[in-house]
Amino acid sequence: MAFELPNLPYDYDALAPYMSRETLEYHHDKHHLAYVTNGNKLADEAGLSALSLEEIVKKSYGTNQPLFNNAGQHYNHLHFWKWMKKGGGGTQLPAKLDAAIKSDLGGYDKFRADFIAAGAGQFGSGWAWLSVKGGKLEISKTPNGENPLVHGASPILGVDVWEHSYYIDYRNARPKYLEAFVDSLINWDYVLELYEAAA
Ligand code: MN3
């Protein structure tokens, strides 16, 4: 199945001031597009282009690094755009997620601190995640384009901590970007949708 660049699910100005039009134009129109273009070429060369994106991600992990990098990043960014919305974030979580975060992660405040710490503590490029594994929520971080799918977990929320995701708006202040993501951008309805599909 050929990879395609989706349109953003909101206007380029929708996430300002937390994420600017300029960041979204570079991040979506250039970085994500490059993963799509390169991923299609490499999947064709590997004879894997008939598989689903998830299958390509899992199959290329540890066996075809260039394909994995691009397919993984395509998967991550497809969800990343939907993990944000105008007026998102904060403590108004769907009840079901709030209860799961309470029982599995020690409550919202601890989730917030641990998720931000995972993103801030990822050395170099990568992602911080909230996933379902064995029926329970867990927080993790991965380098580069890697994601929890290849570790037997189902990602339900992720934040991109590559510099291209925050350097225009926050320069080197990655923790400030992570705080803004959690407090003002997370689309909890989409997180709930993935949680219900995974749990
Ligand atoms: Mn990115």
Side-chain angles (χ1 to χ4, degrees), residues 98-111 114 137:
D98 195 50
I101 284 174
K102 204 162 281 170
S103 68
D104 296 347
L105 299 176
Y108 177 82
D109 291 346
K110 188 163 188 317
F111 153 77
D114 291 350
L137 291 175

Side-chain angles (χ1 to χ4, degrees), residues 47-118:
L48 297 177
S49 48
L51 298 181
S52 73
L53 173 58
E54 286 80 356
E55 288 171 321
I56 293 172
V57 169
K58 289 181 191 170
K59 225 180 173 81
S60 61
Y61 180 62
T63 65
N64 183 336
Q65 192 66 38
L67 174 57
F68 177 76
N69 290 340
N70 286 280
Q73 283 290 72
H74 178 47
Y75 175 92
N76 296 346
H77 287 81
L78 279 180
H79 292 289
F80 183 59
W81 310 128
K82 294 161 81 172
W83 278 321
M84 299 184 286
K85 70 171 189 180
K86 185 182 181 69
T91 57
Q92 299 303 308
L93 273 63
K96 196 169 173 178
L97 268 179
D98 195 50
I101 284 174
K102 204 162 281 170
S103 68
D104 296 347
L105 299 176
Y108 177 82
D109 291 346
K110 188 163 188 317
F111 153 77
R112 182 184 182 279
D114 291 350
F115 186 77
I116 289 171

Side-chain angles (χ1 to χ4, degrees), residues 141-161:
K141 59 179 190 267
T142 58
N144 303 316
E146 200 173 297
N147 66 49
L149 272 187
V150 300
H151 301 295
S154 303
I156 63 170
L157 174 67
V159 62
D160 188 339
V161 299

